Amino acid sequence: MVRYVYDFAEGGRDLAELLGGKGANLAEMTRLGLPVPPGFTVTTDACRAFLATGAEPAGLLQEVSDHLTALEEAAGRRLGQPDDPLLLSVRSGARFSMPGMMETILDIGLNDESVRGLAKVSGNERFAWDSYRRLVQMFGSTVMGVDGSLFEGVLDDLKRARGAAGDLDLTAEDLAGLVESYRSLVHRATGEHFPQSPAEQLRRAVLAVFESWNGERARIYRRRERISDDLGTAVNVQTMVFGNLGADSGSGVAFTRDPSTGRSGLYGDYLANAQGEDVVAGIRNTVPLTALAELDPVSYEQLRSHMGVLETHYRDLCDIEFTIERGRLWMLQTRVGKRTSEAAFAIAAELAGEGLITPDESLARVSGEDLARLMFPRFDTSAVGEALAHGLPASPGAAVGAAVFDSAEAVRRAAQGEQVVLVRQETTPDDLPGMIAAQAVLTSRGGKTSHAAVVARGMGRVCVCGAEALAVDTAARRFTVGDTVVEEGTVVSVDGSEGAVYLGAAPLVDSAVMRYFETGERSDALVGTVADAMERADGVRRLEVRANADTPEDAARARRFGAQGVGLCRTEHMFLGERRKLVEAMILARDESERERVLGELLPLQRQDFRGILEAMDGLPVTIRLIDPPLHEFLPDRTGLAVRIAAAEARGERPEPHDTELLGAVNRMHEENPMLGLRGVRLGLVVPGLVAMQVRAIAEAVVERTRAGGRPRAEIMVPLVGAVEELRIERAEVERVLAEVSEESGVPVRLPVGTMIELPRAALTAGRIAEEAEFFSFGTNDLTQTTWGFSRDDVEAEFFSAYLDKGIFATSPFESLDRDGVGRLVRIAVDEGRATRPDLKIGVCGEHGGDPESVHFFHAAGLDYVSCSPFRVPVARLEAGRAALPGTSTSDSR
C-alpha cells in the first residue's frame, strides 16, 4: 500500500522529490536537533493522485488522522480543544521553491469555542481574536474561493471607522467584530458558513493546497521557471507557534548571506508582534534583523548559532523563517535561498575559498543566465541627478519604463511592446503576470524578504522595495513623493543595485563584466569572481564555442569574448544595402553573359568580406555558409511594387520600366511557402555561376591571407541539403573552383566541405550524407521549423502563448531545444554520421547554441562545438564548462 504521510522525524533532505523542498528541509532541521515545531508532511504522491482523480486517495484521511493523533498525544492537547486548543498551520511545499505561488492557511482549529479557550490560556484576548480573524480570512479566500480583496476592504473600513493607523491599533473587541463581519462575508459570497469543525478545516485545507498546484499564478510561475507541471506539491501540517502574542514575540526571515550582494553575515527582516505572513506580505515595514540583538539578545544569539549550523550543513546561502513566541525561538523553515546573479558568483567563490565546496561545485553554483544578467548595462549615476526616492536594493540591475499600477495594465502595455515598471504598495502572488511583464518592480512597503523582493530576485527582475517616500494611490493610478506627482504612463528609472528611483529615462553605461570581456580589465571583486569562473569553465569544458559572425567587426568582438572560431558566416547578409542592386541585376539578367558580368562585380566585394573575417579569426576555423535564402528576398516587396505601378497607371502615367521588369521577376519567383522552396543548395544547383562566384571569393581570400603571412582556416558549408546527391553535385563544383584557384595562384587551397543538417530527411540519412560531408552543423532553427511544421515568424505571435498556457510547451522550442523530437533527430544524425566517418566534426549554429539548457544537451549528444551570437559566447563557454562537470546538467524535471 502506498504511504502518503511522514512525520518530520522520519524524513530528510534526500527525500525532496517525495516530501517537497519545505517538508524535506523541516525533516532535516529536526534531525539536526534544531527547535522545529512538530508536524508531518503529506507527500507529492498524494497530490498527484488527488489531481489525477479529483478525489482523496484511498487511505489518506486515515493516515492524516493517525499522525494527528500522535501529534496531539505529544502536545498533550487536541486539535481545536475548547479550553486549550492545539492549532495547526497548513503550508504547501513543492520540490522546487515557488514562493507565494500556492496556498497557506494558519490557525487551523479555531472556532467560536476554542477562540475563547485560546484567549484564556494565553492571557491575551486580542491575540486570540487576531488569530481567529486571520483563519477566517485565509480559509475563506484560499479554501472557499472568496475574493481576498473583499476581506481587505472590510478591514480597511474598520480601521477608518476606528481611526486606526494599522492593525495593531485595533482592540480585541474590534477584532471580534471583524471575525463576525468576515464570517458574514463568507456566507454571503458562498452560501455556506465558515466550518466550525477543526477536522473539516484540516481536511479542506490540505485539499485546497493540492488544488492550488494548478492555480493560475502557480502555472504562470512554473512556466516562467521551467518547472514541470506533473511534480505536484507536498503539504506540511505543523503545530502553530505564535509571533503575535505581544512585544516579546515576533516573526522574521533571515539569510546567512546577503542575497543581493553575497556578503557574509546576518541579513533579514524582523517584525515584532506579528505572524510570518505579515513579514512576507510587507503589510508593515520591518526592522533589520540586527535590531533583534537589542530587542531579544538571547533569541538573537540562538538564531546566529542555528544559522551557522545550517549554512555549514547545506554548504550554501540559507533562507530561514523563524518565530519567537514569548522569548522562545522556533525555526519554521529553511531552504537554499534565491539570490541575485551578482550574489551567486560571490557566494560560490567565497564558499570555495572557505573550503566548504570544491572548485567544481563553485562552477556548478553559477549559470549562464546569471552571467547574462551581469552583462546588462547599468545606470550612469553621475548623470542622473537627484533620486526621486530611495528604498531597499532588493534585486539589482537598471530598468526604465512607464509606471503602471496594476498587473493587468502591465501585461497589456508590455504586449504592445512598451517597457513598464510595476508600482505597488506591496505585491501579492496575484501580481505575478505583471511582474513577469514589467522591466522592474517598485513598492512602497516591504523589505528584502517581501514577496516582491523574493520573486523578483528569482526571476532576475530589477526591484526596489520599501520606498517609504512613495504614496501609492492605485485607484487614482499615480504615486506622489512630496509635491511631485507621477501619473500612470510617466517614464521612471529604477536602480535595483542602489535602491533608487529617478524620474525620466536615466542614461546607461556598460557593466564592468561586459568591459572585462571586451578588454580583460578586472575592475572589481565581482569581475574577479566572474573571471575565475570563466577560467574554470574553459579548463574543464569539452565543447568548443564558436560565434555566428557576418562581418569582421562581429568576428573580432567574438574573439575578444573567447570564441574559438566562426561557426556560421551567413553570406547573404553581405548582399544587403547598396549591394542589393547587384543582386537585382543578377536576377534580372537576360542571358548568361550578363549574369556573369554581375557576378564578376560581386566577386571582389565578397572576397573583401571574407578576407576581413579570416583576418579577424586568424588561425581559427571560419565556417562560411553559401547563400541560403530565396533570391526573391533581395527584390522589392511584391505588393508595394504592384501598388506603385497601379498608382502610376491610375494617374495616366507610364510605369517605370524597371518597376515593371522587377514585378515580372517577383511574380515569376513568387512561392507560396518560400521557406520550403528554391533556397539553399537548390539555388546553387539551378542558378549558374552563383556557387562558383562565392567559392572563388572564399578561395582567393584564403590565398591573399596566406600570402600576407596569415593562417586562414576557411570551411565551406552547403545549406539545406536533403539528399546526398545534392551535396555530391555541389561539392564537385566547389572542388573544381578550388582547384582552379590553386592552379592560378600557386597556393594550394584545400578547404573542408560540409553541410547544415536542418531538414528531418538530412538527419535520418546522415550516414549517407557523411560520405560527402567532412563536417555537420545543425541548423536547429530550420530543423525545429521543419520537424514541427511551424513557420517561426507566424506561429510565435499567433498561438504559442496558448500552447504555453495549455502546457503543450514548457518553453518555446525555438528558445530551448525540443529534446524529444528535434533532439532525437540530432542524436540519430550524430550516431549515423560518425558511423560512416568517425572523424566527422559536428557542431550547431542555430540560436540554441547559446541557450544554457540546450548547451547541456549538445554536450551529452557528443557534439564538438556550439556556435552562437558574439554576445552569448561567454554564456555558452560557462555552460559548456558546467555541462562537463559530473552530475551537473539542466534537468528535464524543472
Side-chain angles (χ1 to χ4, degrees), residues 335-347:
R335 61 189 172 198
V336 172
K338 291 186 180 295
R339 68 211 67 192
T340 65
S341 299
E342 177 179 344
F345 277 91
I347 292 170

Side-chain angles (χ1 to χ4, degrees), residues 51-64:
L51 294 175
T53 64
E56 303 145 10
L60 173 61
L61 293 183
Q62 186 59 53
E63 280 194 69
V64 169

